[in-house]
Amino acid sequence: NNEMVMSHGIWNNDDFDVDIFAMECIVQPASTVPANQKIEFSPDGQIGYIVVLADNGEIDISKDQSYYPIIWRTEDGGATWSDPIAVAVAGEDGIGGVQNYLSDEEIAELFVEPLPERNEIPFTTAFDCDLSVDMYGNPHIAVVCGVTSSTPYAILSGISPSSGYAFTSMFLLSSSDLGNEGSWIGYELGRPVSFRGTFGEFTEDNRIQIARDPAGTKMFVSWLDTDTTVSSENNAPDIWTRGVDVVNHKLTVDENGDDLPSNVTFGSEGTFSAYIFAMANEVFDDGLGNYTVPFVYLNMNPADPTQQVQYKYVQDFQFSEADFIITDIGETQIANTKFTEISQTMPNPASTVARFDVTLNNTAGVSVIVTNMMGQTVKTIPAKTYLAGTSSIAIQVSDLTSGVYFYTVSAGKETITKKMIEE
């Protein structure tokens, strides 16, 4: 019925007060229903998103043939939601990272002369995704992207003769402005060599998933993939993973220091047998720069999934801060600078509230981080959308000890840092 059913509950110490309502979720008739849907909230629980993989007819190049993410945003804990925002992965407004992951040789393998321009290729998402939200309230979508086949809403998943990879890639699609149009970039995380596994009458895709650190500054994306020397299908998979520092735009390296994802299960008893897996939606942070990613995988008879199975926990898989080496700021579609001016805080010194003005060229999500002289974060103000022009932002400083601090203001990928004094 082109609707999704929402249940919003509040705990009142004795029971849940639940409100159930319908939200419009239009899809093109041929796509019938969204391929996947997820919901997630920021660390403070107030800014949240729903994402569906669907086609609502708003992206011309994708209409009636390809999937793309469509999101809704709440800024009040789920009580009210925005209108849908279509996230183009193809076309003139598509995400540069997605449009550029294929080599020229791979494009020549897929198309006949004259070869299309990259913004003319009908890219699509696959059929699974996952969602997380960072400390600024910005959404991050883990998803497989590829080229739409001749069949609408199908993805080309064969192996490229030139690269040896599948014609798909793993992506973290990240917004720097609360999911608004023009704020999305694509981090390419790794190319798989397989797409779908078959276990008896049961099939399973790469099962891409995402987790964040508790602070919401880093995202960890994982998926299944099978070494083609073992099998040409994805039926002897390992767990692969990669971390992204979404504040400093850095990616992790593998165990050899290469610009590649890490194989979680290879060399363990889970080698070639992590048939289905799940990861938590948050990782463990020991406060010393080490991030332990919780995984569990399913051990089963791949020829007969109806037999008894066993779940196994992967212990102590970690990334450290030193693993975030590869710099990748992606390709943003934001053409114009956001800032024209950030004022000095007033009063300065301040004892209770320090205020400053931010002047924007265009509408943007603005966030603030306050750090001390040691570089430690002592206060954060999550992203909030401000209109073009000058707006005032207040920083509560009454709980800070006397001394010198720095406030860093971010809008999109632009940041300005200034000094303030607490008396």
Side-chain angles (χ1 to χ4, degrees), residues 175-217:
S175 168
S176 58
D177 186 20
L178 302 178
N180 290 313
E181 183 179 353
S183 69
W184 291 86
I185 64 172
Y187 296 99
E188 185 187 350
L189 305 178
R191 297 285 298 276
V193 294
S194 55
F195 179 73
R196 176 169 294 156
T198 300
F199 311 102
E201 297 181 355
F202 174 73
T203 63
E204 186 71 9
D205 294 353
N206 298 103
R207 202 177 179 86
I208 192 167
Q209 295 169 58
I210 189 171
R212 71 179 177 218
D213 67 325
T217 65

Side-chain angles (χ1 to χ4, degrees), residues 58-80:
E58 292 188 9
I59 309 299
D60 289 341
I61 192 173
S62 303
K63 185 177 180 181
D64 296 322
Q65 68 168 335
S66 304
Y67 289 121
Y68 46 88
I70 304 168
I71 67 168
W72 291 256
R73 181 179 66 244
T74 179
E75 298 184 47
D76 54 15
T80 60

Side-chain angles (χ1 to χ4, degrees), residues 1-332:
N1 295 322
N2 283 321
E3 291 181 332
M4 53 186 171
V5 179
M6 298 291 296
S7 299
H8 179 259
I10 299 176
W11 178 250
N12 63 12
N13 296 324
D14 296 312
D15 202 352
F16 277 110
D17 294 325
V18 179
D19 180 28
I20 300 176
F21 55 95
M23 283 176 50
E24 188 176 69
C25 179
I26 294 175
V27 297
Q28 291 297 100
S31 63
T32 311
V33 296
N36 200 222
Q37 55 281 323
K38 298 286 182 177
I39 186 169
E40 187 58 84
F41 286 79
S42 58
D44 66 6
Q46 290 304 298
I47 301 178
Y49 298 86
I50 299 167
V51 62
V52 302
L53 301 181
D55 169 22
N56 63 1
E58 292 188 9
I59 309 299
D60 289 341
I61 192 173
S62 303
K63 185 177 180 181
D64 296 322
Q65 68 168 335
S66 304
Y67 289 121
Y68 46 88
I70 304 168
I71 67 168
W72 291 256
R73 181 179 66 244
T74 179
E75 298 184 47
D76 54 15
T80 60
W81 294 85
S82 71
D83 291 333
I85 302 170
V87 182
V89 297
E92 293 290 341
D93 298 320
I95 295 173
V98 175
Q99 296 181 350
N100 288 293
Y101 80 90
L102 289 172
S103 68
D104 291 341
E105 290 79 9
E106 289 174 315
I107 292 176
E109 292 164 0
L110 292 174
F111 299 96
V112 298
E113 297 283 355
L115 298 179
E117 297 293 330
R118 291 177 180 270
N119 60 15
E120 297 172 339
I121 297 174
F123 290 101
T124 182
T125 68
F127 318 112
D128 293 328
C129 71
D130 206 356
L131 173 68
S132 192
V133 186
D134 67 23
M135 66 182 296
Y136 305 118
N138 291 319
H140 301 268
I141 303 168
V143 68
V144 180
C145 291
V147 178
T148 306
S149 77
S150 57
T151 302
Y153 307 114
I155 191 170
L156 289 168
S157 58
I159 303 295
S160 163
S162 61
S163 71
Y165 290 116
F167 288 111
T168 58
S169 190
M170 307 298 170
F171 281 95
L172 179 66
L173 306 183
S174 297
S175 168
S176 58
D177 186 20
L178 302 178
N180 290 313
E181 183 179 353
S183 69
W184 291 86
I185 64 172
Y187 296 99
E188 185 187 350
L189 305 178
R191 297 285 298 276
V193 294
S194 55
F195 179 73
R196 176 169 294 156
T198 300
F199 311 102
E201 297 181 355
F202 174 73
T203 63
E204 186 71 9
D205 294 353
N206 298 103
R207 202 177 179 86
I208 192 167
Q209 295 169 58
I210 189 171
R212 71 179 177 218
D213 67 325
T217 65
K218 293 178 174 63
M219 300 291 158
F220 301 86
V221 180
S222 304
W223 61 90
L224 297 177
D225 194 20
T226 295
D227 187 339
T228 53
T229 61
V230 177
S231 172
S232 60
E233 303 294 333
N234 197 17
N235 55 15
D238 285 306
I239 302 172
W240 296 77
T241 190
R242 196 155 195 191
V244 182
D245 182 332
V246 295
V247 175
N248 298 304
H249 310 292
K250 291 186 176 182
L251 279 65
T252 56
V253 293
D254 70 3
E255 60 276 9
N256 298 318
D258 293 328
D259 183 8
L260 292 168
S262 299
N263 192 326
V264 175
T265 47
F266 185 78
S268 73
E269 63 176 297
T271 303
F272 306 143
S273 60
Y275 298 109
I276 299 174
F277 88 106
M279 67 187 300
N281 69 340
E282 276 197 4
V283 304
F284 299 110
D285 179 359
D286 66 359
L288 300 174
N290 299 306
Y291 305 94
T292 302
V293 187
F295 294 103
V296 64
Y297 68 89
L298 181 68
N299 185 272
M300 68 178 188
N301 180 350
D304 186 3
T306 64
Q307 292 185 14
Q308 182 174 345
V309 300
Q310 185 175 22
Y311 291 91
K312 296 192 174 184
Y313 178 68
V314 178
Q315 290 188 316
D316 301 330
F317 180 85
Q318 285 188 343
F319 286 113
S320 71
E321 200 71 44
D323 292 320
F324 291 87
I325 296 175
I326 304 301
T327 301
D328 183 355
I329 63 172
E331 185 175 334
T332 180

